Amino acid sequence: MRAGSPDREWREDCAPRRVLEIFSSKWTSMILHVLDTRLGGCARTGVLQRSLPGISKKMLIQTLRDMASDGLVTRRVFGTVPPAVDYTLTPLGKRFVEPLELLYGWGRANSDALDQLANNRTAD
């Protein structure tokens, strides 16, 4: 494969595929968004769950654990009874917010296109 060939550009470890892998769960991007724009970069589990209608506690906790493992958030456990846990965006996590907000902004500005897409899917 040549260095600039299309096959090389789309290999399994290429940057676009790695970005899509991070956001393959809709909840990862939504958690990043909510933490950054609505919760000041840090929140407890319950606050996050109330900020994300439709997410189950199990899905939230699993996604947050994956995000902590990836280095997007840090998890801090307080020695209270019951234990309190909060999650904070890391500098790495904050780097993913900017392109995410561009995409979310595009979605807001082009809701008609998203509506059309949804209508096309239900028409099949």
Side-chain angles (χ1 to χ4, degrees):
M1 254 185 280
R2 292 189 339 254
S5 74
D7 291 338
R8 183 160 179 77
E9 291 173 17
W10 294 105
R11 65 188 188 277
E12 288 185 30
D13 65 343
C14 69
R17 285 187 184 200
R18 292 169 42 207
V19 168
L20 291 175
E21 184 177 318
I22 292 166
F23 298 120
S24 63
S25 160
K26 70 177 177 182
W27 296 115
T28 299
S29 64
M30 295 181 91
I31 290 169
L32 287 171
H33 169 75
V34 166
L35 271 173
D36 184 65
T37 61
R38 294 179 51 202
L39 302 173
C42 181
R44 290 176 132 182
T45 310
V47 172
L48 273 168
Q49 187 171 12
R50 287 187 296 277
S51 299
L52 295 162
I55 192 169
S56 68
K57 186 172 185 174
K58 179 180 177 181
M59 179 56 72
L60 175 63
I61 290 169
Q62 181 59 52
T63 304
L64 286 166
R65 285 187 179 152
D66 291 344
M67 291 173 70
S69 174
D70 289 342
L72 299 173
V73 295
T74 55
R75 180 178 188 263
R76 184 171 53 165
V77 180
F78 298 90
T80 59
V81 178
V85 179
D86 73 15
Y87 294 88
T88 304
L89 282 174
T90 63
L92 179 62
K94 289 177 184 178
R95 289 179 67 184
F96 284 95
V97 171
E98 182 183 357
L100 181 62
E101 290 307 314
L102 290 172
L103 185 60
Y104 280 14
W106 182 92
R108 287 182 203 100
N110 293 279
S111 62
D112 63 317
L114 296 170
D115 292 342
Q116 183 178 352
L117 182 67
N119 289 338
N120 290 345
R121 288 181 175 169
T122 57
D124 290 337

